[in-house]
Amino acid sequence: MLTVTASLSQAFESQLCLRNIPYKQRRDFHKWLRFYLDFCAKYASDPMLTASFAGFDEKLKIKGQSDAQRKEARRSIAIYYRMIGTLQSPPEPSGNSTAKNANNPLLSTSSGTSNPDSSSQVGLPAIKREMPLSAVTNQPLKLIDANWEAIYEQLKNAIKVRHYSNKTWQAYRYWLQQFQIFTKSKDASLLDMNDVKGFLSHLAIHKQVAASSQNQAFNALLFLFKNVLQKEFGKVEGVVRAKRRPYIPVVLSRPEVDRVFGLLEPPYDLIAKLLYGCGLRLFECLKLRVQDLNFDMQVLTVHDGKGQKDRTLPMPSTLTAELAAQIEHVAALHEQDLAANTAGVFLPNALDVKYKNAAKEFAWQWLFPAKSLTLVPGSKDYRRWHLHETHVQRAIKLAVRKSRLAKRASAHTFRHSFASHLLQANVDIRTIQELLGHSDLKTTMIYTHTVQSVTIKEAKSPLDF
């Protein structure tokens, strides 16, 4: 069997992409091209002549190939003819009509002469090909090993423009890396919905990812196509979906919560109490600033939570004294930073450009500041960031281990416990939804499985109460 050269294979693959041939069928199209070229080499036919196809089709019929297979072969060779510049489609199969050409430019060997031997390599003809060109480099598009650096940069800029969180950038970048590996760094201009479908099915079948991970990958590719590649993102049909398993979160009892609190050192104990007392996500808690606490109204405001949403929460009265003490600690640290002539704290977006001195104002200081200063990239200024998430996670993990709980608890477990204990106290599910900042009630309803139902299910008339 002839070996088709990489240049011809890539050129043919490019034509298949341009004609939106489904990803799963392209392998068969390559197979028919290889069989056709092998037939022409064996019977000394010129593969550039459409008349050669009649003999090839007759051979397929003799070998018992079905009508559907012969039709697919005809379509494959028609694409090949157009690629090499022969604008006419192969004729309807009618007989064994062949044309011999000893100087066939498609049959190339190291000596440059025709060689019908099975070890021959079939290359591209010495004529201009209809290869698509890159709009950026004006070079032929690559089916493998293309440079994706510009795509990553455009993705990052698109996320920044929309003020998405850094976690979104990290997640989307990860899935873009996986997609690049799956497509073998195909030029982004050649990416289509078949690549998307193949990748999502690959995640479910071979990687066996969870349904949430597959959905996140889908959202990343949707964002990539619409906002970076500026391509239409069609319907994703025929994709193997990861099975969504029912998830019931881990919930601690109140004594277990208190046991973990007792094993945490400051300021981690106060952070854990806020996670449980207000139902905060960890990053929401660590992003709190001094101005977010209102002691007069006994409320706490979360800015730029998940989905860039704000919400107001009741401040636990039992934490008033501890929060006041924490603010005193922040005030002392703030005075040290001012005396050291630091640039203040990091501010959201470009707020420090609009308000030059805001970073040094006390109201903008972090409630849980980092222990050390951070050098601002591209300058000589030092600013203070908030406490890093990993420090809190490590402290809580150690406290859980010391408490010898028979549960896998983490920082997010306190949020689960907050919702479950409110539900257990007969607090309205809609109120819990607002406190948690859920956009969909279905997300909150999962906590109904974490506690025993206290709802009266027996139907009665209000007159009998």
Side-chain angles (χ1 to χ4, degrees):
M1 181 67 66
L2 285 171
T3 302
V4 180
T5 60
S7 58
L8 175 57
S9 181
Q10 288 186 9
F12 189 64
E13 175 70 17
S14 176
Q15 294 297 316
L16 298 180
C17 291
L18 291 175
R19 287 166 172 79
N20 294 321
I21 302 300
Y23 181 80
K24 292 182 179 179
Q25 293 182 16
R26 294 180 199 169
R27 190 173 181 179
D28 291 332
F29 275 63
H30 280 279
K31 177 190 70 175
W32 294 123
L33 175 60
R34 190 170 69 252
F35 286 176
Y36 173 69
L37 296 175
D38 183 68
F39 169 84
C40 291
K42 187 176 295 184
Y43 294 97
S45 299
D46 188 348
M48 294 177 63
L49 297 179
T50 57
S52 301
F53 179 80
F56 175 65
D57 182 75
E58 188 65 26
K59 190 72 172 178
L60 294 179
K61 186 176 181 180
I62 294 173
K63 285 183 173 291
Q65 300 291 346
S66 66
D67 292 339
Q69 290 173 317
R70 291 167 61 198
K71 184 177 179 181
E72 188 179 60
R74 172 184 170 80
R75 189 180 176 193
S76 174
I77 306 309
I79 294 174
Y80 167 72
Y81 283 149
R82 293 189 182 97
M83 181 186 74
I84 63 174
T86 305
L87 299 179
Q88 57 191 20
S89 298
E92 293 298 329
S94 59
N96 246 337
S97 175
T98 60
K100 299 183 180 181
N101 188 349
N103 297 318
N104 184 357
L106 281 171
L107 302 178
S108 60
T109 62
S110 58
S111 61
T113 59
S114 175
N115 184 5
D117 187 76
S118 60
S119 61
S120 299
Q121 283 199 335
V122 179
L124 281 172
I127 62 175
K128 186 175 180 179
R129 306 190 305 271
E130 295 180 19
M131 286 289 288
L133 300 178
S134 169
V136 179
T137 63
N138 202 33
Q139 297 294 321
L141 300 178
K142 294 183 177 180
L143 292 171
I144 58 172
D145 298 332
N147 191 336
W148 281 37
E149 289 183 7
I151 301 300
Y152 283 96
E153 190 63 29
Q154 292 173 33
L155 177 67
K156 186 175 183 179
N157 292 337
I159 289 175
K160 279 188 174 181
V161 165
R162 290 161 178 79
H163 301 292
Y164 291 172
S165 68
N166 188 52
K167 283 190 172 182
T168 302
W169 155 240
Q170 292 175 350
Y172 283 13
R173 179 181 59 184
Y174 169 77
W175 289 117
L176 180 58
Q177 290 170 343
Q178 298 303 308
F179 188 53
Q180 181 183 3
I181 294 171
F182 176 78
T183 59
K184 299 180 181 178
S185 298
K186 179 197 292 188
D187 196 292
S189 301
L190 298 175
L191 296 173
D192 56 23
M193 288 305 299
N194 293 314
D195 295 311
V196 173
K197 295 175 184 178
F199 176 64
L200 294 177
S201 297
H202 166 74
L203 292 179
I205 298 172
H206 301 291
K207 295 296 184 180
Q208 297 183 341
V209 300
S212 57
S213 298
Q214 191 185 40
N215 288 336
Q216 189 182 65
F218 171 84
N219 291 330
L221 295 183
L222 173 63
F223 186 88
L224 172 70
F225 271 67
K226 292 183 66 176
N227 302 303
V228 178
L229 302 180
Q230 304 295 325
K231 288 187 175 184
E232 187 68 27
F233 197 83
K235 291 184 178 180
V236 183
E237 298 176 343
V239 174
V240 179
R241 302 305 300 265
K243 187 177 181 181
R244 182 177 290 278
R245 298 177 177 83
Y247 170 71
I248 300 178
V250 175
V251 173
L252 301 179
S253 65
R254 182 56 193 271
E256 290 173 332
V257 169
D258 291 335
R259 197 191 315 174
V260 176
F261 287 165
L263 294 171
L264 288 168
E265 300 290 334
Y268 305 117
D269 57 342
L270 180 57
I271 293 174
K273 289 175 182 177
L274 282 174
L275 296 178
Y276 172 70
C278 300
L280 297 174
R281 300 176 178 90
L282 180 55
F283 84 92
E284 293 173 339
C285 182
L286 296 182
K287 285 177 63 178
L288 289 174
R289 299 180 188 265
V290 172
Q291 62 183 352
D292 297 333
L293 303 182
N294 189 330
F295 287 95
D296 294 331
M297 301 297 295
Q298 283 291 292
V299 294
L300 178 152
T301 304
V302 175
H303 292 288
D304 294 333
K306 190 173 182 179
Q308 303 295 304
K309 293 180 292 187
D310 296 356
R311 68 183 189 278
T312 302
L313 301 168
M315 185 190 300
S317 56
T318 56
L319 294 182
T320 302
E322 291 184 59
L323 288 171
Q326 179 64 19
I327 288 181
E328 289 297 324
H329 167 71
V330 173
L333 186 62
H334 179 230
E335 291 296 329
Q336 292 179 17
D337 289 347
L338 290 178
N341 198 27
T342 64
V345 294
F346 287 92
L347 295 179
N349 303 323
L351 202 63
D352 52 346
V353 177
K354 187 175 182 180
Y355 304 106
K356 299 292 183 181
N357 298 319
K360 295 184 179 182
E361 294 177 5
F362 180 62
W364 282 100
Q365 303 305 300
W366 302 108
L367 182 60
F368 299 105
K371 296 179 181 179
S372 59
L373 295 168
T374 302
L375 178 64
V376 180
S379 71
K380 296 182 180 180
D381 295 334
Y382 282 88
R383 296 199 178 200
R384 194 171 292 278
W385 193 249
H386 59 68
L387 203 61
H388 200 276
E389 290 185 14
T390 55
H391 295 165
V392 182
Q393 292 166 341
R394 193 180 301 118
I396 291 177
K397 184 177 181 180
L398 182 61
V400 170
R401 187 184 304 151
K402 287 182 178 179
S403 67
R404 297 186 180 279
L405 294 179
K407 297 177 181 177
R408 294 181 67 252
S410 64
H412 206 66
T413 305
F414 292 113
R415 176 175 163 89
H416 293 323
S417 303
F418 163 84
S420 299
H421 293 173
L422 285 182
L423 196 62
Q424 202 169 23
N426 290 330
V427 176
D428 178 57
I429 190 74
R430 289 285 185 181
T431 303
I432 299 175
Q433 177 192 1
E434 292 179 5
L435 293 175
L436 292 174
H438 288 163
S439 57
D440 192 346
L441 184 62
K442 290 181 180 179
T443 310
T444 315
M445 288 295 290
I446 193 174
Y447 294 107
T448 59
H449 300 288
T450 63
V451 295
Q452 290 184 348
S453 175
V454 293
T455 305
I456 299 174
K457 296 183 178 180
E458 183 182 355
K460 288 185 178 181
S461 170
L463 283 173
D464 297 332
F465 289 168

